[in-house]
Amino acid sequence: MPKVSAILFLGLTLWSQTNRASAATFKSIRAPKDVPLETSPQSAFWRGAEPVYFEADNFGHPVPSLWTEVRSRWTNDNLYLLFRCSYSQLYLKPFPHTATETNLLWNWDVAETFIGYDFRHIHHYKEFEVSPQGERVDLDINSQDPQKPGVWTWNSGFQVAARIDSKNKVWYGAMRIPFGAIDPEPPHIGTMLRINLFRCQGPPPDRKLLAWQTPMSKTFHVPEKFGLLMLVDQP
């Protein structure tokens, strides 16, 4: 390896190790088998997951009335996520279609996850969204080239489920994402992925953008601010 290339590689490795050590970590708990999507945190499947919470906007300002809880589990084939989202007023797309993907779904109320496996090329990652009405969209993102062809026509094969508890003003959104759509390597205990979690909530002009790891930007697409998802064994 030429000397300059070796120095660059070492620098990238040290940068990656430093950022991994300091990043917030979200644990995904191994599940014994794949199951149909379930939106109740009290189900046997989701009780085994350790949640993370956020209640701040994309600039870190607290919005405690719009808290979000997220849980994750994994199997050899799929990554599961469950969002539990409080709301004051829902902003829903009229005439929802759940049989196919909904482009521009982010213009309405959604929960989102951005996931990337590559710690050297951090601007390439996948985006997954679910709405309170069970709409979905997945995107193959390169944040340095947002206009690249095929961004939203990419299809991961992921599935969603959702429900609204209007009495308690909470909605639930679950995702099952094939690992083959996230990482070319099979998952195993100790696998680390780059991740951030978001919500778009409420109608304009009071619309809120909420984030687990604050991007400090008007856009969520700041991969330098992602946290980590760690695949761990059952407790």
Side-chain angles (χ1 to χ4, degrees), residues 53-185:
Y53 302 90
F54 59 94
E55 54 179 35
D57 69 13
N58 49 320
F59 286 96
H61 303 127
V63 191
S65 62
L66 297 177
W67 52 262
T68 307
E69 173 193 282
V70 192
R71 300 167 185 251
S72 181
R73 302 205 70 178
W74 67 282
T75 66
N76 290 339
D77 296 318
N78 294 292
L79 177 69
Y80 294 79
L81 294 162
L82 176 65
F83 290 80
R84 185 163 72 106
C85 311
S86 70
Y87 68 88
S88 54
Q89 182 181 358
L90 289 174
Y91 185 51
L92 304 177
K93 187 179 186 297
F95 311 111
H97 294 280
T98 58
T100 58
E101 292 185 37
T102 302
N103 193 23
L104 305 179
L105 187 58
W106 50 88
N107 289 330
W108 310 89
D109 283 6
V110 289
E112 308 181 13
T113 183
F114 294 4
I115 306 176
Y117 75 92
D118 194 335
F119 284 80
R120 295 184 65 189
H121 303 96
I122 65 170
H123 292 275
H124 187 207
Y125 49 90
K126 306 299 171 57
E127 175 177 344
F128 302 91
E129 301 184 12
V130 59
S131 81
Q133 302 181 117
E135 299 146 299
R136 72 188 190 281
V137 69
D138 51 10
L139 305 154
D140 183 2
I141 300 292
N142 182 339
S143 60
Q144 293 181 323
D145 184 15
Q147 302 302 319
K148 73 172 185 174
V151 169
W152 93 271
T153 56
W154 173 74
N155 184 14
S156 68
F158 93 120
Q159 299 175 324
V160 303
R163 66 182 172 92
I164 300 170
D165 178 354
S166 56
K167 179 180 178 181
N168 293 302
K169 289 192 174 296
V170 175
W171 72 270
Y172 301 82
M175 303 178 181
R176 180 169 59 203
I177 306 169
F179 262 112
I182 303 171
D183 189 342
E185 296 295 327

Side-chain angles (χ1 to χ4, degrees), residues 3-44:
K3 184 175 181 180
V4 173
S5 298
I7 293 172
L8 177 60
F9 177 79
L10 178 60
L12 286 168
T13 301
L14 291 173
W15 179 89
S16 177
Q17 291 174 345
T18 300
N19 279 267
R20 290 195 209 194
S22 62
T25 301
F26 176 21
K27 293 180 181 178
S28 183
I29 309 297
R30 185 178 178 89
K33 62 180 181 179
D34 286 297
V35 299
L37 277 175
E38 168 62 66
T39 59
S40 172
Q42 301 306 315
S43 68

